[in-house]
Amino acid sequence: MRYLPLDDEDRALMLARIGASRIDDLFADIPADKRLTDLIDIPRRMSEMEVERRLSAMAARNVAAGSAPFFVGAGAYRHHVPASVDHLIQRSEFLTSYTPYQPEIAQGTLQTLFEFQTQVAALTGMEVANASMYDGSTACAEAVLMAHRLTKRKKAVLSGGLHPHYAEVVGALADMAEDDTLRAPPDVLAREDIAASIDDETSCVVVQNPDFFGNLRDLAPIAAAAHAKGALLVAVFTEAVSLGAVRSPGEMGADIVVGEGQSIGNALNFGGPYVGLFATRAKFVRQIPGRLAGETVDADGRRSFTLTLSTREQHIRREKATSNICTNSGLCALAFTIHMSLLGEAGLRRLARVNHANAVALADRLACVKGVSVLNQFFFNEFTIRTPRPAKDVIEALVEKGIIGGVPVSRLLPKSGLDDLIVVASTETNSDDDRAAYAAALAEILS
Amino acid sequence: MNMQGRPTRPEEAELIAPTTFTGNRGLDMEEPLIFETGRLDATGVDIDDPEPFASRLGPHERAAPVGLPGLTEPECLRHYVRLSRKNYSIDAGLYPLGSCTMKHNPRLNEKVARLPGFADIHPLQPFSTVQGALELIETLAKTLMALTGMSAIAMSPKAGAHGELCGMMAIKAAIRARGEAATRRIVLVPDSAHGTNPATAALIGFSVRAVPADAQGIVTAAAVKAALGPDVAAIMLTNPNTCGLFEREIVEIAEIVHAAGAYFYCDGANFNAIVGKAKPGDLGVDAMHINLHKTFSTPHGGGGPGAGPVVLSERLAPFAPTPYLGRNGDALVMVEHAEGGQAFGRLSAFHGQMGMFVRALAFILSHGADGLKQASEDAVLSANYIRACLNDLMSSPYGDRPCMHEALFDDRWLKETGITTLDFAKAMIDEGYHPMTVYFPLVVHGAMLIEPTESESKASLDLFIMTLRDLALKALAGDRERFLSAPRLAPRRRLDETRAARQPILKWTKPAPG
């Protein structure tokens, strides 16, 4: 077997050194009647060529986003990732290293995490950020738990503009933890008065911007209302590129900011792995979940980085930890950091402008299709359209014409009565031809 | 041969090593933070500004700068390549972290995970456009069920601890369905467990009751029986356990746990030792997470991403989270909303760690049933070989008996030397090795947990053993300075961790002018 360096001669010598007569002597602690005698019923070993052929055949049965005009967002976004990002994250020293528990031989990982934390704090307008969470949705659930700890209250109020999956993740965990969740009804037009739902029991209000339907929201009045009741504002984003064009959550008074970092540096990957971003105020730092890289010096006085404040974490605090998280999204965070370093301020701002311009161009085109209306007043690179036919059927009909046209709202919010809405995204990867093809196909389907 | 009067012995070279202008030492280069070298107007991505258009950002447009510098591509490459060289990695050497399973990461897996048909598909595309992706998830799911002998699986957990949460949420849902949520509030957790176990139980409102291990390092049925009661919801037991031992009374434990109306959660972090040798389903397990980044070799990536699918018994299967795979005629679909069912809800935004699924399946197909069994045997053989070759010098907490895939030592043998487990670990760094896991499990004083995995050749194991023997002999001979000042040859010497925690500096800030 190509991955196993020991041969039978080695094995015999090693068994002899151990003083065992056969390998199963070493497995003697497994109860005899539970020890397997036959091979498990799965195929036997395959060559590299065979495995590649088999998996390539599966891959070929999928429509890759790059092979069609593609307008799907709703929590994950297709962006161009520079070739050097993927090259760098495949370096052995990043790819095949463990969590940096021995900082003397892990400064590469630790310094990049420190850079990541600095970038995330700057983008969100917050004072501190952690070294990443699994994804945006789990970061959101952790933010709610942190707000509970900080306020010693147990009720979270969720905006109707929050991504439905995020609301479900928060809701499932709250249900199990016996906390309260008030989930506002879907708020397609960003007209809800969420501040009115905040009371003296509320630990936090969770609001997404740009929201699930693509609307831009002003979080400042919600922050003020939350603070007046002793509650916190948890601001959520699913499209990190938007932070290059839209006011930061920190500027609008957010206390905890969580988001999905996939769209910088990371591929769509059918939903994972992604990278959760988590930022907050410095005074809350001892309640942050997950890992933190910090600066210090070594015995020679040289600047160095290490994991720190780990007395918050499960391997030290066990049942009193701020979270159970251990492994997070290190390599995806690295991809984020490298892509962000390549973009820089100038590149990020231009990328964001191009995204917005493309989305505006698409919205203008689709609004001209008979029977279609664009519902958003203000948006970044994503918006919602209403169609005269059920959105699910429209999307399927578009697939027949080779176009992946967006996400029917009913897929995430079934039985909400929102069967005629499609969430549509356009990034820098779409050309004007893509947009024209979409509008033409939609017009044909609806004629 | 030294022809020019230059020093050739290392000690001499060290004495005269010059202080350099750059601070670099040959290939070991100092590298500033990107914020100190990048410029706000520099970028490594060519994008043109769009043609003028009517913005729809309205009053929400960002006015303030972000304040993030950029680099051109060559500068960026150099920055991160230089940083990378300060890391130890599996590709560069044996990485004996116990409980972490640092095995070889095949590059085929990286290649296939990047096929556009897997990497460039969106989780919310119509199911008709992702049949191959769903087929891959189904194939991996069925394979994991076959390897564990369990009846159901939840694929969405994103790492081991997230898998624990999934399993414990399913258990809580099952207890609720029985109407016992108010009374069954306790989860039994052995002292030797990973910290994630008690943290997970506490996260969803359980209280933790500790179960001691016996003098042999295992949890006995008698100890579990003494801790069980009508208030117990579940036991979380790691098997093979964190001391590297198979829990010999596991079948009996499962029986008495079930008889008491509780569930058996198994922490599968150490599944690598028994793949193809025993099935958790045959041992009475109700739920177990599988760390794809340990047993099935998806890269650890400096701290993730991982993946933690959870296999479930028939009793817990109805409570598995959404989404899960289903069929609509011949077509595969993801069931995203379980109407009227008992699913406990959603654990994360989408379907799980697809990129890790592709890699894990490539690993499993490459090995096959025969290769996986051989891998487990080689992992256990290698750990026992290390144990046998070191136990005359180093002390084992549970005596001279076979271990599973990791060999555990304590620090009794260092007692008279004034050298700690940490000192010993740091001296290994100077020898070019990543240290073993130290001070875990917590129940063993000064623990050193060595897991070589199946990826090492005998020559590699022998050199590692000889190195540790040499260090041990030096420690016992009183060569304290070597250990107390280690590491001296790494990119950094020991760090001031106290300072890092007392005055936390968690991001770069621009120095004040002047």
Side-chain angles (χ1 to χ4, degrees):
Chain A
M1 207 282 140
R2 62 185 180 274
Y3 302 142
L4 300 176
L6 297 179
D7 63 22
D8 284 343
E9 193 186 333
D10 296 328
R11 292 179 183 118
L13 286 169
M14 289 162 70
L15 278 174
R17 178 67 184 80
I18 294 164
S21 54
R22 52 203 174 87
I23 187 70
D24 276 343
D25 291 357
L26 303 178
F27 291 87
D29 283 346
I30 302 178
D33 61 329
K34 306 297 182 191
R35 252 176 268 158
L36 300 177
T37 46
D38 299 328
L39 286 182
I40 288 175
D41 187 21
I42 62 170
R44 294 174 73 93
R45 76 184 67 168
M46 288 183 193
S47 70
E48 185 167 316
M49 189 173 72
E50 287 171 298
V51 174
E52 189 172 343
R53 194 175 285 158
R54 171 124 191 241
L55 293 177
S56 297
M58 288 188 198
R61 296 182 59 216
N62 304 318
V63 179
S67 68
F70 185 86
F71 301 94
V72 184
Y77 301 86
R78 182 165 193 268
H79 290 285
H80 175 76
V81 178
S84 50
V85 174
D86 200 45
H87 172 81
L88 283 167
I89 69 167
Q90 286 192 78
R91 279 188 67 91
S92 297
E93 300 88 340
F94 288 132
L95 184 74
T96 76
S97 58
Y98 195 69
T99 301
Y101 287 136
Q102 299 288 343
E104 300 90 344
I105 45 174
Q107 286 297 301
T109 294
L110 285 159
Q111 183 169 332
T112 59
L113 288 177
F114 190 80
E115 293 185 353
F116 172 78
Q117 290 172 186
T118 306
Q119 289 173 339
V120 173
L123 273 172
T124 55
M126 301 303 285
E127 291 164 333
V128 289
N130 79 2
S132 84
M133 310 296 287
Y134 307 132
D135 71 356
S137 67
T138 57
C140 185
E142 292 273 14
V144 168
L145 293 179
M146 178 170 146
H148 291 346
R149 290 194 297 274
L150 285 167
T151 60
K152 301 190 167 59
R153 300 177 185 177
K154 301 187 86 179
K155 188 172 97 182
V157 172
L158 311 184
S159 159
L162 180 63
H163 193 294
H165 286 171
Y166 286 43
E168 288 173 35
V169 173
V170 171
L173 187 57
D175 175 42
M176 287 293 165
E178 294 158 37
D179 298 332
D180 295 329
T181 312
L182 178 76
R183 184 175 171 188
D187 182 34
V188 181
L189 301 173
R191 287 190 186 149
E192 69 184 4
D193 180 13
I194 199 72
S197 304
I198 306 170
D199 61 23
D200 294 337
E201 321 261 273
T202 306
S203 73
C204 61
V205 54
V206 184
V207 187
Q208 183 177 323
N209 183 51
D211 72 16
F212 173 68
F213 302 98
N215 303 299
L216 297 179
R217 291 176 183 242
D218 185 2
L219 305 183
I222 305 170
H227 296 159
K229 297 272 188 191
L232 304 178
L233 171 63
V234 174
V236 180
F237 58 88
T238 61
E239 169 51 297
V241 173
S242 70
L243 295 167
V246 174
R247 287 171 71 197
S248 76
E251 190 186 330
M252 294 190 276
D255 300 288
I256 306 173
V257 181
V258 289
E260 177 53 69
Q262 169 270 331
S263 61
I264 298 181
N266 289 278
L268 288 170
N269 283 325
F270 201 47
Y274 289 172
V275 50
L277 311 184
F278 196 110
T280 188
R281 299 176 185 278
K283 65 180 176 184
F284 298 152
V285 69
R286 283 172 203 274
Q287 287 299 332
I288 289 186
R291 295 176 182 142
L292 289 165
E295 183 184 319
T296 185
V297 293
D298 78 348
D300 289 335
R302 291 175 295 179
R303 178 170 69 182
S304 311
F305 302 94
T306 183
L307 293 180
T308 192
L309 298 180
S310 49
T311 48
R312 299 164 298 110
E313 292 184 71
Q314 48 76 26
H315 62 282
I316 312 277
R317 282 304 285 287
R318 300 175 77 84
E319 64 266 33
K320 296 194 175 62
T322 55
S323 167
N324 72 335
I325 194 168
C326 182
T327 290
N328 49 51
S329 270
L331 203 69
C332 302
L334 176 66
F336 178 101
T337 295
I338 297 169
H339 192 183
M340 197 59 241
S341 301
L342 280 167
L343 284 167
E345 174 96 24
L348 177 70
R349 301 296 288 261
R350 272 201 292 275
L351 176 65
R353 281 198 293 276
V354 169
N355 270 257
H356 183 50
N358 281 2
V360 168
L362 179 65
D364 289 347
R365 272 190 189 273
L366 297 186
C368 295
V369 175
K370 199 176 162 217
V372 173
S373 50
V374 173
L375 303 186
N376 312 60
Q377 184 183 11
F378 301 120
F379 59 88
F380 171 60
N381 68 353
E382 188 164 30
F383 54 87
T384 300
I385 59 171
R386 172 167 282 136
T387 56
R389 281 178 50 193
K392 253 190 169 128
D393 301 347
V394 173
I395 291 298
E396 284 299 337
L398 284 166
V399 168
E400 296 296 313
K401 294 180 178 295
I403 289 163
I404 317 282
V407 183
V409 168
S410 58
R411 175 159 172 187
L412 290 95
L413 293 167
K415 295 184 179 162
S416 61
L418 302 174
D419 295 341
D420 56 354
L421 303 183
I422 302 174
V423 176
V424 181
S426 184
T427 71
E428 78 283 1
T429 60
N430 296 126
S431 67
D432 205 46
D433 288 348
D434 291 342
R435 289 186 286 273
Y438 189 2
L442 193 57
E444 211 173 305
I445 289 163
L446 296 177
S447 66
Chain B
M1 195 157 138
N2 182 6
M3 302 297 289
Q4 294 176 306
R6 304 281 196 272
T8 53
R9 293 191 307 150
E11 312 86 280
E12 287 175 20
E14 195 181 319
L15 285 175
I16 61 163
T19 306
T20 58
F21 175 72
T22 54
N24 299 338
R25 289 180 294 186
L27 287 177
D28 179 13
M29 292 161 179
E30 293 300 302
E31 183 63 13
L33 289 158
I34 180 189
F35 313 104
E36 295 160 337
T37 54
R39 286 95 58 204
L40 289 178
D41 59 346
T43 183
V45 183
D46 291 329
I47 314 167
D48 290 331
D49 250 321
E51 299 291 321
F53 69 105
S55 163
R56 301 278 293 271
L57 297 172
H60 308 286
E61 184 163 1
R62 179 189 267 274
V66 185
L68 286 177
L71 297 170
T72 60
E73 183 171 308
E75 294 172 294
C76 184
L77 260 294
R78 189 166 292 167
H79 177 65
Y80 289 105
V81 166
R82 283 180 169 220
L83 287 179
S84 75
R85 297 196 326 187
K86 298 173 186 297
N87 274 2
Y88 195 88
S89 64
I90 309 167
D91 285 349
L94 193 154
Y95 212 131
L97 275 176
S99 215
C100 303
T101 312
M102 299 298 285
K103 62 169 76 174
H104 171 61
N105 298 146
R107 288 315 191 276
L108 166 68
N109 305 359
E110 295 305 306
K111 184 179 181 189
V112 289
R114 285 170 170 78
L115 292 170
F118 295 134
D120 192 24
I121 54 174
H122 191 289
L124 296 175
Q125 279 180 230
F127 296 128
S128 60
T129 65
V130 290
Q131 286 297 301
L134 297 175
E135 180 192 354
L136 183 134
I137 297 177
E138 185 186 45
T139 307
L140 178 63
K142 285 185 169 164
T143 307
L144 295 175
M145 284 156 66
L147 293 171
T148 55
M150 302 283 282
S151 2
I153 189 163
M155 295 297 284
S156 61
K158 293 192 161 271
H162 206 220
E164 291 175 28
L165 184 62
C166 175
M168 292 308 291
M169 284 168 82
I171 286 171
K172 188 154 181 175
I175 284 171
R176 269 190 193 166
R178 281 164 33 188
E180 295 183 307
T183 49
R184 292 192 182 268
R185 312 287 300 179
I186 305 285
V187 172
L188 306 183
V189 181
D191 294 331
S192 57
H194 295 108
T196 49
N197 292 180
T200 299
L203 200 56
I204 52 171
F206 288 118
S207 300
V208 172
R209 184 179 293 160
V211 184
D214 73 356
Q216 301 290 309
I218 65 155
V219 175
T220 62
V224 173
K225 198 162 200 170
L228 272 171
D231 56 349
V232 173
I235 186 170
M236 297 181 84
L237 190 64
T238 307
N239 186 52
N241 70 23
T242 60
C243 301
L245 303 172
F246 191 91
E247 290 286 357
R248 294 193 293 281
E249 300 189 15
I250 189 169
V251 175
E252 207 183 334
I253 289 171
E255 281 166 8
I256 59 171
V257 164
H258 290 153
Y263 294 91
F264 179 5
Y265 186 89
C266 182
D267 181 328
N270 293 336
F271 188 43
N272 196 50
I274 59 167
V275 177
K277 303 297 287 184
K279 292 179 179 178
D282 293 343
L283 305 173
V285 168
D286 288 305
M288 184 182 91
H289 71 266
I290 302 166
N291 304 76
L292 298 186
H293 48 296
K294 294 180 180 177
T295 307
F296 299 112
S297 183
T298 72
H300 281 79
V310 173
V311 285
L312 299 166
S313 65
E314 213 168 310
R315 305 196 305 154
L316 289 181
F319 306 98
T322 51
Y324 49 82
L325 278 168
R327 278 191 183 271
N328 184 3
D330 286 340
L332 284 164
V333 295
M334 274 285 173
V335 180
E336 294 172 313
H337 301 273
E339 305 300 340
Q342 293 178 291
F344 70 70
R346 181 177 280 276
L347 212 54
S348 66
F350 301 115
H351 323 306
Q353 305 284 67
M354 180 68 175
M356 304 294 116
F357 298 163
V358 181
R359 291 171 174 88
L361 186 59
F363 184 87
I364 290 170
L365 292 174
S366 293
H367 282 78
D370 47 337
L372 289 174
K373 177 167 178 267
Q374 187 68 62
S376 297
E377 291 178 355
D378 285 359
V380 170
L381 177 66
S382 296
N384 276 287
Y385 182 62
I386 288 174
R387 184 186 55 77
C389 293
L390 294 177
N391 68 2
D392 59 323
L393 286 175
M394 295 164 64
S395 47
S396 303
Y398 304 118
D400 184 17
R401 55 174 301 129
C403 59
M404 297 301 288
H405 63 307
E406 49 196 7
L408 176 62
F409 299 96
D410 59 25
D411 63 358
R412 281 175 300 159
W413 66 281
L414 285 171
K415 205 169 173 188
E416 307 300 324
T417 62
I419 294 163
T420 65
T421 290
L422 187 68
D423 299 328
F424 190 79
K426 298 300 185 192
M428 287 170 67
I429 292 176
D430 280 336
E431 295 289 348
Y433 285 107
H434 195 286
M436 67 289 268
T437 292
V438 292
Y439 300 105
F440 180 83
L442 307 176
V443 292
V444 172
H445 200 270
M448 306 180 198
L449 188 63
I450 302 175
E451 179 179 1
T453 82
E454 70 273 21
S455 303
E456 299 302 322
S457 67
K458 183 165 178 296
S460 167
L461 292 170
D462 285 336
L463 182 59
F464 177 71
I465 289 162
M466 286 189 286
T467 306
L468 258 58
R469 289 189 69 83
D470 182 69
L471 281 177
L473 289 169
K474 284 179 171 133
L476 294 169
D479 184 3
R480 286 182 64 203
E481 189 47 33
R482 170 182 299 273
F483 295 89
L484 301 192
S485 62
R488 294 193 296 171
L489 306 175
R492 282 293 180 268
R493 298 190 58 197
R494 277 193 228 190
L495 272 60
D496 188 345
E497 311 262 2
T498 311
R499 170 170 158 160
R502 285 228 176 111
Q503 308 147 8
I505 303 172
L506 304 175
K507 66 172 184 180
W508 179 81
T509 41
K510 201 171 181 172

